[in-house]
Amino acid sequence: MRRPELDHILGVMLESQPEVSDLLFTVDKPLQVESYGELKPVTFDPPIDKLTPFQTEMVALNLIGENQWHIEDLLRRGSSDAAYTLTDKARFRINIFSQRGNYSIVCRKLNTEIPTLEGLQFPEIIRLIPREKTGLVLVTGATGSGKSTTLAAILNEINHTKPVHVITLEDPVEFVHPHYMATFNQRELGTDFDSFSNGLRAALRQAPKVILVGEMRDRETVRIALSAAETGHLVLSTLHTIDAGQTINRILGLFEPDEQEQIRARLADTLRWIISQRLVPKIEGGRHALLEIMGSNLRTQETIRLGESEGKSFYEIIDASHAFGWCTFDFSALEAYENGTISEETALLYCTKRGPVTRGIDNIKKSRGECTTNIASLRMKAGREFAKTGVAGIPAALKIK
């Protein structure tokens, strides 16, 4: 297989469905794409009913190219991340991995257009993040929840408003930022540096004001990121956690118990924002981002230092700070439901606490004049029917006088 042939296959797969997010190559399955969160087969001419091990291996080698680092990574560790550009059409983040002795490939489509905060229609409070001078900003969520898109929009805002030096450490480089007011140096794992901890350590000697770390995967990376935030840098990064509370616990869990008290103090002083995301299906098709937003104040700093307790959980702190623009997933879900963006079932499925969301949905229905219960056929018994049965279904003749 040659590169023009591979480009033709990728192009056909991209055009096979609307809003394609991922391309999948798996042995004994046809070519597949993910569209609106569902896998769909791709019809090809000539037809490919089932991919063979040889075909997936050829696709993998062509995607990697001549990069020896990625080839060694694949052979030693069983998986490798790379990037691939389909000329004038799209860029992909590639993951090639071994399964049952064969290779499988997942190609995540990357947007070539730099997103903006206005285009993402995020709450106005998100605009405060690019104005930060120092500290740690974390964007969290499951794989595919839009973390990289949110960070790219924040960096784009910095790029248009601040004349600063920005260094990104990515795996791989997803959004290529042009130079506007800011100066960008974007480094890729496996090509420009060998690990996030080493890349971050080197970045501290490269005079940046803003550092993007693609993912904080290990203890050493977290330790250096905290040091960078403490020494006057704005550090942006991601974690695979579902909410603010789990984010704090995940970071602390990377360290030994005797280190955690010091890490709590450092984290309380440096943490500025945690933005957690969940992508949910919209009623009319497509996906909508639910957000949980937590900033830094005396209550969050105290809870980070001492831990969560009754009445002092991060959920309760965020909920009590709604007036300042913070929001929980539950509030975000209720707002999307009220605007007609998502269905009631989706709001209940992706919320954090079903009780408050159920009551909120009922209040929204009442304000619209809609029925909030399925018990609509109850009626009072009357006349002879009541005289026969008496009270609560007891025959009148058996009642104690």
Side-chain angles (χ1 to χ4, degrees):
M1 179 182 291
R2 299 179 179 179
R3 175 157 182 163
E5 296 172 339
L6 176 60
D7 288 354
H8 174 67
I9 294 173
L10 297 177
V12 171
M13 295 177 72
L14 278 178
E15 296 170 359
S16 64
Q17 297 288 339
E19 297 296 328
V20 171
S21 60
D22 295 276
L23 283 58
L24 279 75
F25 300 82
T26 302
V27 173
D28 291 334
K29 294 288 289 185
L31 299 172
Q32 297 177 97
V33 297
E34 183 173 324
S35 174
Y36 296 124
E38 295 183 358
L39 287 179
K40 298 179 181 179
V42 177
T43 56
F44 204 78
D45 187 21
I48 302 176
D49 296 328
K50 293 182 179 180
L51 289 167
T52 66
F54 176 77
Q55 289 172 325
T56 59
E57 185 174 344
M58 287 299 100
V59 172
L61 292 175
N62 276 273
L63 290 171
I64 291 177
E66 299 179 357
N67 191 310
Q68 294 297 320
W69 195 90
H70 290 314
I71 294 175
E72 292 178 8
D73 201 32
L74 178 61
L75 294 176
R76 290 179 179 177
R77 302 182 181 180
S79 67
S80 179
D81 293 311
Y84 188 83
T85 301
L86 184 60
T87 308
D88 298 331
K89 286 188 177 181
R91 295 182 67 250
F92 299 97
R93 182 179 65 199
I94 311 295
N95 183 268
I96 303 167
F97 57 96
S98 175
Q99 59 94 21
R100 292 186 299 165
N102 301 318
Y103 289 117
S104 290
I105 306 152
V106 178
C107 305
R108 168 61 55 84
K109 182 186 175 184
L110 306 176
N111 292 322
T112 54
E113 182 179 352
I114 306 297
T116 63
L117 294 177
E118 295 88 348
L120 296 178
Q121 298 180 346
F122 279 173
E124 192 67 23
I125 193 172
I126 300 292
R127 290 186 170 278
L128 297 179
I129 297 177
R131 301 175 191 171
E132 297 284 355
K133 298 291 185 182
T134 63
L136 180 64
V137 176
L138 299 175
V139 180
T140 76
T143 301
S145 59
K147 301 184 295 295
S148 298
T149 302
T150 299
L151 285 174
I154 293 172
L155 288 178
N156 184 62
E157 186 74 13
I158 293 174
N159 197 10
H160 285 82
T161 56
K162 292 184 177 181
V164 295
H165 182 202
V166 180
I167 287 181
T168 71
L169 308 172
E170 303 177 69
D171 181 24
V173 171
E174 298 191 18
F175 296 91
V176 179
H177 293 268
H179 302 292
Y180 291 116
M181 289 188 69
T183 297
F184 271 80
N185 281 298
Q186 298 184 253
R187 309 185 69 203
E188 185 169 304
L189 181 67
T191 302
D192 304 309
F193 62 96
D194 61 350
S195 69
F196 279 115
S197 57
N198 289 337
L200 185 53
R201 189 180 291 107
L204 297 178
R205 300 189 296 270
Q206 294 158 3
K209 289 293 185 291
V210 180
I211 304 173
L212 168 69
V213 184
E215 184 182 348
M216 294 205 296
R217 298 177 177 175
D218 52 63
R219 182 191 327 185
E220 189 63 21
T221 303
V222 173
R223 196 189 303 277
I224 301 171
L226 289 174
S227 298
E230 290 168 337
T231 54
H233 302 84
L234 177 61
V235 181
L236 311 172
S237 190
T238 69
L239 278 172
H240 287 83
T241 53
I242 60 172
D243 56 29
Q246 193 183 95
T247 300
I248 302 299
N249 293 333
R250 173 70 62 82
I251 293 174
L252 295 173
L254 294 173
F255 297 87
E256 299 297 329
D258 58 342
E259 298 178 284
Q260 290 184 5
E261 184 176 354
Q262 181 188 24
I263 297 300
R264 283 183 180 275
R266 296 177 66 186
L267 193 59
D269 291 336
T270 58
L271 185 66
R272 298 292 181 265
W273 298 93
I274 296 179
I275 312 296
S276 299
Q277 302 185 184
R278 296 174 185 172
L279 282 185
V280 303
K282 297 166 66 175
I283 293 176
E284 68 275 9
R287 292 184 290 179
H288 174 76
L290 300 182
L291 302 180
E292 179 177 88
I293 304 172
M294 186 183 81
S296 177
N297 60 17
L298 292 177
R299 291 189 66 191
T300 58
Q301 291 172 15
E302 179 186 15
T303 305
I304 292 172
R305 284 190 172 94
L306 304 178
E308 294 181 283
S309 60
E310 184 69 28
K312 291 184 179 180
S313 68
F314 289 110
Y315 179 93
E316 292 166 323
I317 293 172
I318 297 170
D319 191 45
S321 300
H322 173 66
F324 301 101
W326 302 10
C327 68
T328 62
F329 278 122
D330 294 348
F331 177 84
S332 185
L334 283 173
E335 187 178 45
Y337 170 74
E338 186 174 15
N339 294 336
T341 305
I342 64 175
S343 65
E344 177 181 351
E345 293 75 16
T346 300
L348 293 173
L349 184 62
Y350 288 92
C351 67
T352 301
K353 296 185 178 181
R354 294 177 67 94
V357 174
T358 300
R359 291 192 295 271
I361 289 175
D362 287 344
N363 290 333
I364 293 172
K365 287 183 175 180
K366 289 177 183 178
S367 66
R368 296 173 178 172
E370 299 177 6
C371 181
T372 60
T373 179
N374 294 326
I375 307 176
S377 59
L378 293 182
R379 60 187 179 85
M380 293 290 292
K381 293 182 178 180
R384 295 180 179 177
E385 186 178 1
F386 181 79
K388 291 179 181 179
T389 60
V391 180
I394 301 175
L398 298 180
K399 290 177 62 179
I400 298 176
K401 297 182 180 179

